[in-house]
C-alpha cells in the first residue's frame, strides 16, 4: 500500500505546487501591484568613480587617509568598524608610531574584565585591537560599517550617494502619495530603500573636516573620501587580489600555449597514420 500511495502523494504535491505557481503568475499579470512612492521615487546610486575601480584600479592611499579622517571625526560617534584592527591602518600609509597614537587616542576604550574580582574596567587601545564597538543610545541601530560597501549593491557609489542625497520631499511625491509624508524624526533621502531614514545628514557643509593634505573638504569630497575608505575596509587586500589575478591569468595563458605546442609535437608523426 505504501508503494501505491507514495507516488500519488508526490503527484498531488507536484500538481499543487504547479497550480500555486500558475495562479500566482496569472495574478501578477492580470492584477499588477499598485504603484508605491518607494518604487517611483527611489533613485539608483550616482555614477561615482573610485581609484580602485576596474581590473587595473589601485587604492589611493592619500584618499584613504582622508576618508579615515572623515570616519573618525564624523561617523565613528555612531557607527562601529569592528572587523578592522588599528594595525590595519598601516596599509593606508601610517607609520607604526602613528598607528599606536591613533589607537591610544581613540575615544572608545577596550572593555576589560577581571574574572578573579568580577570587576569591569577599560584600557587604552593597542594596535592589535579591533576598533571597539560603538554603543548608540539614540533612535534606531546604526549599522557597522566594516562591510557596508559589500552589503549594498554598488556599495561605494551607494554610500557616497546616500551621504549627499538628503533633501526636502518633492512636491510631486506628496501630491501623488499624500500618505507618504516623511514622519517626524526621519529624514527624506531618495537613495535609501524606503526613502526615509533615522540618520540625519552627517555631512553638513564645507570645512566640516580639515584635511591635513590641504584638499578642499566639500560635502561631495568628504562623501567620496569616506566611501573610498569603506571600500578598503570591506576588502583591504583588493590590490593584492588583483595583482595575483593577473599573475594567475598570465600563468594560465603561458601554460595553455605550452600545452598546445606539446600536443602539436606529440601528435606530429601520427597525422599520416
Amino acid at each position: 500500500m505504501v508503494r501505491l500511495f507514495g507516488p500519488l502523494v508526490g503527484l498531488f504535491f507536484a500538481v499543487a505546487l504547479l497550480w500555486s505557481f500558475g495562479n500566482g503568475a496569472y495574478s501578477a499579470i492580470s492584477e499588477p501591484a499598485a504603484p508605491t512612492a518607494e518604487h517611483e521615487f527611489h533613485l539608483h546610486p550616482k555614477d561615482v568613480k573610485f581609484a580602485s575601480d576596474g581590473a587595473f584600479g589601485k587604492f589611493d592611499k592619500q584618499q584613504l587617509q582622508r576618508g579615515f579622517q572623515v570616519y573618525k571625526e564624523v561617523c565613528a560617534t555612531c557607527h562601529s568598524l569592528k572587523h578592522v584592527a588599528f594595525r590595519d591602518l598601516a596599509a593606508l600609509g601610517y607609520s607604526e608610531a602613528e598607528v599606536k597614537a591613533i589607537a591610544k587616542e581613540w575615544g572608545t576604550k577596550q572593555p576589560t574584565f577581571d574574572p578573579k574580582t568580577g570587576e569591569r574596567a577599560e584600557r587604552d587601545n593597542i594596535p592589535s585591537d579591533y576598533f571597539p564597538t560603538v554603543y548608540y543610545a539614540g533612535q534606531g541601530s546604526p549599522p557597522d560599517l566594516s562591510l557596508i560597501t559589500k552589503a549594498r549593491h554598488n556599495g561605494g557609489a551607494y554610500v557616497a550617494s546616500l551621504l549627499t542625497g538628503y533633501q526636502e520631499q518633492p512636491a510631486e511625491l506628496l501630491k501623488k502619495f499624500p500618505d507618504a509624508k516623511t514622519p517626524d524624526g526621519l529624514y527624506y533621502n531618495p537613495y535609501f530603500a524606503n526613502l526615509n531614514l533615522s540618520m540625519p545628514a552627517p555631512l553638513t557643509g564645507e570645512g566640516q573636516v580639515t584635511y591635513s593634505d590641504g584638499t578642499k573638504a566639500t560635502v561631495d569630497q568628504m562623501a567620496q573620501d569616506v566611501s573610498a575608505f569603506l571600500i578598503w575596509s570591506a576588502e583591504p587586500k583588493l590590490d593584492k587580489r588583483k595583482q595575483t589575478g593577473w599573475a594567475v591569468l598570465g600563468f594560465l595563458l603561458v601554460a595553455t600555449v605550452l600545452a598546445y605546442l606539446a600536443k602539436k609535437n606529440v601528435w606530429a608523426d601520427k597525422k599520416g597514420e
Side-chain angles (χ1 to χ4, degrees):
M1 293 294 291
V2 174
R3 292 183 179 180
L4 176 63
F5 284 104
L8 294 176
V9 172
L11 180 62
F12 170 78
F13 279 108
V15 171
L17 182 63
L18 289 174
W19 180 86
S20 177
F21 175 78
N23 186 56
Y26 175 77
S27 297
I29 295 172
S30 60
E31 302 175 9
T36 63
E38 291 85 350
H39 177 74
E40 292 197 20
F41 288 88
H42 174 62
L43 300 178
H44 293 289
K46 302 174 184 177
D47 184 18
V48 184
K49 303 297 182 184
F50 296 96
S52 58
D53 290 345
F56 297 98
K58 292 184 178 181
F59 287 123
D60 179 349
K61 291 185 178 181
Q62 200 68 37
Q63 184 180 38
L64 296 184
Q65 289 191 17
R66 294 197 303 268
F68 171 65
Q69 186 177 350
V70 175
Y71 168 75
K72 177 183 177 182
E73 297 183 19
V74 179
C75 309
T77 304
C78 304
H79 295 275
S80 301
L81 203 69
K82 64 183 180 181
H83 294 297
V84 180
F86 287 101
R87 62 187 174 192
D88 294 335
L89 297 176
L92 275 58
Y94 290 109
S95 66
E96 183 179 351
E98 288 174 324
V99 171
K100 288 182 179 179
I102 291 171
K104 184 176 181 179
E105 296 168 5
W106 198 256
T108 308
K109 306 298 183 180
Q110 289 291 332
T112 61
F113 175 73
D114 188 341
K116 295 181 180 180
T117 63
E119 293 182 356
R120 296 183 181 274
E122 292 182 336
R123 63 166 175 80
D124 289 337
N125 298 288
I126 58 177
S128 60
D129 289 326
Y130 285 82
F131 281 81
T133 299
V134 177
Y135 295 99
Y136 182 68
Q139 179 182 359
S141 179
D144 180 271
L145 297 182
S146 307
L147 303 174
I148 194 67
T149 57
K150 284 291 186 183
R152 301 291 186 271
H153 176 65
N154 201 6
Y158 166 79
V159 173
S161 300
L162 187 74
L163 291 174
T164 57
Y166 289 88
Q167 58 186 264
E168 294 294 329
Q169 276 190 301
E172 182 184 354
L173 183 152
L174 295 175
K175 181 178 180 181
K176 194 169 184 178
F177 302 98
D179 295 334
K181 187 179 185 302
T182 298
D184 292 338
L186 299 184
Y187 304 87
Y188 179 77
N189 193 316
Y191 296 99
F192 194 64
N194 69 357
L195 305 181
N196 303 297
L197 69 166
S198 58
M199 179 180 72
L203 303 178
T204 55
E206 184 176 319
Q208 186 176 356
V209 171
T210 301
Y211 286 137
S212 57
D213 64 358
T215 301
K216 190 175 182 179
T218 63
V219 171
D220 283 341
Q221 184 68 56
M222 291 186 288
Q224 291 185 32
D225 290 342
V226 74
S227 298
F229 169 71
L230 293 176
I231 292 173
W232 170 83
S233 73
E235 195 169 3
K237 303 297 184 182
L238 181 63
D239 284 354
K240 291 185 178 180
R241 181 171 63 81
K242 290 180 180 180
Q243 293 172 2
T244 302
W246 283 114
V248 169
L249 288 176
F251 169 79
L252 292 175
L253 179 61
V254 172
T256 300
V257 172
L258 291 177
Y260 174 74
L261 294 176
K263 177 259 182 186
K264 295 280 289 184
N265 185 57
V266 168
W267 291 95
D269 298 334
K270 305 295 183 180
K271 288 184 177 180
E273 297 181 5

